[in-house]
Amino acid sequence: MPTVTEILETMDYGPAPEATGEVMAWLKARGSFGHYIDGAFTRPAKTFATANPATGAPLAEVAHGTAADVAAAVKAARAALPGWSRLPGHERAKWLYALARHAQKRERFLAVLETLDNGKPIRESRDIDVPLVARHFYHHAGWAAMLEAEFPGARPVGVCGQIIPWNFPLLMLAWKIAPALAAGNTVVLKPAEQTPLTALAFAEICAEVGLPKGVVNIVTGDGATGAALVGSEVDKIAFTGSTEVGRAIRKATAGTGKKLTLELGGKSPFVVFADADLDAAVEGVVDAIWFNQGQVCCAGSRILVAESVAGTFQHRLSARLAKLRVGDPLDKSTDVGAIVDATQLARIRDLVAQGEAQGAVLHQAPVGLPSQGCFFAPGFLTNVAPANIVSEVEIFGPVATLTTFRTPDEAVELANNTRYGLAASIWSENINLALDVASKVNAGVVWINSTNVFDAGAGFGGYRESGFGREGGREGMREYLTTPAPKALPEAEAGRLDAAPHPGPASRGPAAVDRTAKLYIGGAQKRPDSGYSYTVMAKGREIGLAALGNRKDIRNAVEAAHAAKGWGKATGHNRAQVLYYLAENLAAREAEFVARLKAAGVAKPVDEVALSIRRAFFYAAQADKFDGAVHSTKSSHVTLAMPEPFGVMGIACPDAAPLLGFLSLVLPAIAMGNRVVAIPAASMPLAATDLYQVFDTSDLPGGVVNIVTGAKDELAKVLAQHDDVAALWYCGGPQGRTSAETESAGNLKATWTFPNRDWRGGDGQGREFLLRATQVKNIWVPYGE
């Protein structure tokens, strides 16, 4: 037996196993689990086994959901929807409070069950996952009670299909079910096939508290079950998982009208500057990549260290790595538990081996792994080239890469050198530097001198191929609410865009100056790459020619928009001044625009121009007033919710209201700091091209607004497919809307597609346009001691 002196020298922990008797007795008593549908468990038919990844021992048999099972669950949720959604908010709040309290009362049971099923250390499931589950239900109980006052006019989306991953099984359930119920929706949830047991235990808690039947339904199964849920008659899909599956879901839901939120993969940077507290940053790495065996979508898997301190940092990191305890997840002293299953373990091994073959050097904890179960020793890779597979691909295991940088600008460039954009962690004692870098990294969540901090009061979600939408906080509640859709109006008929000469009568006399509108790219009029123009007709008469844009013109416009990135960095006040000037210049030429719209046969041209001027003034006023919030989250933090522009947006405008519809979409986008490539009404593009001189004389920087005329659906498809376009708005018919959403799946850009509406009324402007033109970045800043 070691002496006290020896113990103090080694600092070894003795075994501290967590008892599993209660949970194993529960599993034995149940034997096998059916689905939870309409307030009761079904009799399981075909089943599959779920096993303990730390030992390989089977835990339970679980029903394999079929399309019929999913349909039954959706039917039950649909039947429960009217009663649940009509409940006063404070009544729904009572149910959410009950779920929170019962989760707390069962916290040790749920923690042990989660560790058995998932393999994560009991310390994490006990101290992080389950407390956050209760926190989410408590927090959203408050939203239920406040809903009418905080979201006036909003209503629930309807029946929500929710698909969650295996890395945080119970916590992901709470993230999705709590806001859905608070908003008045009913749900059908599919847990991951590897980790369904805590979801089934939660179903028993729903029954225990007496939650009305059909409000929560849980169907277990594999990817085929999830696909059946995506294709079912639900009103919304909320998915957390891989980018590849998210891309497939985007395509499957295109054109269906289903609301969609995607929280996908990540390759998050962990940036350590020379003035950082290096010991704190080393502990941050422990929480960033070795927490939950690195099976965290926002894991700090790319460590970027200032070259001047890289040697010291790596030495301390290696020393800390050597002290990590890998082993039995049920031991309270374990730091790193088991990988979720053999398939994931094989993937981690394969990616690390490929990285080493491409020149990376692996540094691993010098630990002996258990003889059975799915374990991988934590570590990090050095000598990693930017093109190495481990620099690009999400390993989703306890292995990071370590790369050096010399300047803050290089750090930002390396941080953004990824197709993802979920999270980032920045370490510096210089708060000015940290906040400056936070504003420049492309990530939906940024932690300063901390990492992997979560709270129900703050939104969570990504940029770029990490998905769109938010979970948690006010932003997350908005994802489960909707407002009455504006009345759809028929589109104007664009007709055939004929590039051949048109022998019909022209509206201009024989001595009139020819009027051929060019494209507007980078602040200059450009001839189309095709060399073609098409005839613009009004009331059966030719009124001019417009350029027939193509794919290359869109490419040039996107490049010009990217070059105008200074617009997004300008203050709201500066953007407002430009938009006010634009409004003034448009007003000065009001009679000219009225005359041109009248000649083009536009109905009520006086009203259309007057409303266009008012709309310009409205969004000029909004440019410096649409701002963020400070969320109430954890102590010692200020959590800033900052709305940021997407960057480059594509906008396909309506054929109706050719001037007003164009400005109603372009103005809110640029007011928020975006640069746009706009496709004006093909039937009357001259209403938009007449704005060239207004833009040029209003101090609008070149490239902020780019106009490409031509066939809307063809050009919109190119914008949807373009990887350097971050968001797309499309107004038009169902075929074009479906195409826009389907083709956007390549880089998973945010889309807003809708039919034509009354642009002259309240449906033509408002807060929704500004919300759709921004994405929220949540920045966690240390505050206090």
Side-chain angles (χ1 to χ4, degrees):
M1 182 175 183
T3 65
V4 172
T5 301
E6 291 171 335
I7 291 173
L8 290 174
E9 286 178 352
T10 62
M11 294 300 289
D12 282 340
Y13 292 94
E18 176 70 46
T20 61
E22 293 292 335
V23 171
M24 296 306 294
W26 177 77
L27 290 170
K28 184 177 180 181
R30 302 305 186 274
S32 62
F33 292 87
H35 310 297
Y36 184 71
I37 298 175
D38 205 24
F41 281 93
T42 64
R43 184 184 299 275
K46 182 182 178 181
T47 64
F48 62 93
T50 180
N52 182 345
T55 65
L59 296 172
E61 290 288 325
V62 180
H64 191 293
T66 64
D69 296 323
V70 169
V74 172
K75 181 179 179 181
R78 184 71 63 189
L81 180 62
W84 181 254
S85 62
R86 282 198 300 263
L87 280 180
H90 73 274
E91 292 295 332
R92 288 200 301 274
K94 291 179 181 178
W95 291 111
L96 287 160
Y97 276 124
L99 290 171
R101 287 195 299 271
H102 279 253
Q104 283 183 313
K105 292 173 184 177
R106 303 285 188 271
E107 60 182 357
R108 186 55 63 96
F109 178 93
L110 293 170
V112 173
L113 180 60
E114 192 79 303
T115 290
L116 283 170
D117 204 22
N118 169 273
K120 65 175 61 188
I122 186 66
R123 288 190 301 110
E124 294 177 8
S125 54
R126 179 195 67 200
D127 299 340
I128 298 172
D129 292 30
V130 176
L132 273 173
V133 168
R135 163 68 172 145
H136 272 268
F137 281 104
Y138 277 126
H139 177 79
H140 288 95
W143 276 121
M146 298 161 51
L147 204 61
E148 189 173 342
E150 294 295 321
F151 296 93
R155 63 187 186 189
V157 174
V159 176
C160 299
Q162 303 176 322
I163 303 171
I164 60 174
W166 43 258
N167 55 341
F168 292 92
L170 188 60
L171 181 55
M172 290 295 100
L173 176 149
W175 278 28
K176 287 181 166 53
I177 288 183
L181 298 192
N185 303 285
T186 55
V187 305
V188 178
L189 179 134
K190 191 204 86 70
E193 63 266 34
Q194 297 91 337
T195 56
L197 296 181
T198 46
L200 295 168
F202 178 80
E204 291 197 0
I205 289 176
C206 291
E208 183 178 49
V209 303
L211 190 71
K213 65 179 186 177
V215 171
V216 170
N217 305 272
I218 295 175
V219 179
T220 53
D222 59 8
T225 310
L229 181 55
V230 169
S232 68
E233 297 298 317
V234 296
D235 303 298
K236 173 184 170 68
I237 291 292
F239 172 76
T240 297
S242 72
T243 295
E244 290 71 25
V245 175
R247 190 172 284 116
I249 291 174
R250 168 70 282 182
K251 291 179 180 179
T253 57
T256 64
K258 294 174 183 175
K259 196 167 185 178
L260 179 64
T261 52
L262 300 173
E263 195 266 282
L264 307 174
K267 196 71 177 171
S268 300
F270 185 100
V271 185
V272 183
F273 286 97
D275 65 346
D277 180 337
L278 296 186
D279 290 325
V282 166
E283 282 306 308
V285 172
V286 175
D287 290 335
I289 188 62
W290 298 323
F291 165 65
N292 198 26
Q293 296 74 252
Q295 300 170 139
V296 184
C297 53
C298 54
S301 56
R302 291 185 299 134
I303 307 170
L304 309 175
V305 186
E307 188 177 82
S308 60
V309 296
T312 302
F313 183 84
Q314 183 174 333
H315 174 75
R316 296 185 188 184
L317 186 62
S318 297
R320 183 65 179 89
L321 179 64
K323 295 294 185 182
L324 292 177
R325 293 171 60 91
V326 182
D328 182 6
L330 288 165
D331 190 321
K332 301 181 186 71
S333 301
T334 292
D335 296 307
V336 180
I339 304 300
V340 71
D341 66 7
T343 300
Q344 180 61 18
L345 178 61
R347 182 178 185 275
I348 295 167
R349 287 172 173 166
D350 180 59
L351 284 171
V352 171
Q354 289 185 60
E356 289 183 287
Q358 293 173 14
V361 178
L362 177 63
H363 308 260
Q364 272 186 306
V367 296
L369 299 180
S371 58
Q372 59 180 351
C374 301
F375 291 89
F376 191 91
F380 60 93
L381 293 153
T382 57
N383 196 37
V384 182
N388 190 307
I389 190 171
V390 292
S391 294
E392 299 178 346
V393 176
E394 185 179 29
I395 298 174
F396 221 63
V399 184
T401 62
L402 194 153
T403 309
T404 62
F405 64 86
R406 292 182 178 178
T407 67
D409 287 344
E410 185 184 5
V412 171
E413 187 174 353
L414 288 169
N416 290 335
N417 185 31
T418 175
R419 59 194 176 100
Y420 298 109
L422 187 53
S425 183
I426 301 164
W427 295 77
S428 172
E429 293 298 285
N430 183 338
I431 194 64
N432 293 327
L433 174 62
L435 289 174
D436 178 54
V437 173
S439 71
K440 294 175 179 177
V441 294
N442 295 323
V445 181
V446 180
W447 295 289
I448 294 177
N449 292 332
S450 59
T451 192
N452 277 341
V453 185
F454 307 102
D455 188 78
F460 183 89
Y463 288 9
R464 303 197 287 190
E465 291 188 37
S466 288
F468 46 79
R470 295 293 180 266
E471 295 185 294
R474 182 181 293 271
E475 306 101 90
M477 276 302 300
R478 196 177 290 120
E479 301 291 348
Y480 284 94
L481 294 166
T482 187
T483 53
K487 180 181 178 182
L489 297 180
E491 268 278 50
E493 181 60 45
R496 182 171 176 264
L497 305 188
D498 194 349
H502 195 279
S507 61
R508 57 185 185 275
V513 176
D514 179 68
R515 185 171 170 224
T516 302
K518 299 183 178 69
L519 308 178
Y520 187 65
I521 296 174
Q525 298 185 46
K526 301 286 186 179
R527 296 184 185 278
D529 171 72
S530 67
Y532 287 103
S533 295
Y534 71 94
T535 304
V536 180
M537 304 292 294
K539 298 180 179 179
R541 300 173 65 85
E542 177 192 336
I543 62 171
L545 298 173
L548 199 58
N550 63 15
R551 175 182 293 272
K552 187 175 180 181
D553 297 314
I554 291 289
R555 184 200 69 183
N556 294 339
V558 171
E559 288 180 357
H562 273 281
K565 59 185 177 182
W567 180 252
K569 298 176 182 178
T571 65
H573 169 73
N574 288 340
R575 291 197 300 270
Q577 298 311 297
V578 173
L579 293 182
Y580 277 127
Y581 196 14
L582 189 154
E584 292 168 3
N585 284 332
L586 184 58
R589 301 177 62 180
E590 183 172 6
E592 175 188 341
F593 274 88
V594 169
R596 289 185 175 179
L597 291 182
K598 184 177 181 180
V602 174
K604 299 181 180 180
V606 174
D607 291 347
E608 174 139 350
V609 177
L611 284 169
S612 296
I613 295 168
R614 289 178 59 185
R615 204 135 290 171
F617 277 109
F618 175 82
Y619 286 114
Q622 289 283 1
D624 62 352
K625 297 174 185 64
F626 183 84
D627 50 23
V630 177
H631 289 317
S632 176
T633 54
K634 294 182 178 294
S635 60
S636 301
H637 284 94
V638 171
T639 309
L640 308 175
M642 303 293 292
E644 292 191 339
F646 283 101
V648 175
M649 294 179 58
I651 300 179
C653 300
D655 278 290
L659 178 65
L660 181 59
F662 178 89
L663 288 174
S664 295
L665 293 175
V666 168
L667 288 171
I670 65 174
M672 294 297 96
N674 297 287
R675 295 90 70 196
V676 303
V677 177
I679 307 166
S683 59
M684 186 56 227
L686 304 181
T689 59
D690 284 343
L691 291 168
Y692 294 171
Q693 292 179 342
V694 175
F695 293 151
D696 289 341
T697 57
S698 301
D699 292 339
L700 187 72
V704 173
V705 176
N706 304 274
I707 301 175
V708 179
T709 56
K712 179 168 72 174
D713 285 357
E714 293 177 16
L715 297 175
K717 182 177 180 180
V718 177
L719 281 170
Q721 293 173 337
H722 203 302
D723 284 347
D724 282 338
V725 175
L728 177 68
W729 292 357
Y730 178 96
C731 177
Q735 184 175 348
R737 299 199 301 270
T738 300
S739 173
E741 292 178 353
T742 301
E743 301 301 331
S744 73
N747 70 337
L748 287 165
K749 58 176 62 68
T751 60
W752 184 26
T753 62
F754 50 92
N756 186 40
R757 59 178 64 186
D758 180 8
W759 296 101
R760 298 169 186 257
D763 293 337
Q765 73 176 35
R767 188 172 181 82
E768 182 177 16
F769 291 82
L770 302 173
L771 290 168
R772 296 276 191 173
T774 54
Q775 52 191 344
V776 177
K777 175 185 286 183
N778 279 274
I779 305 173
W780 292 72
V781 182
Y783 185 70
E785 186 177 0

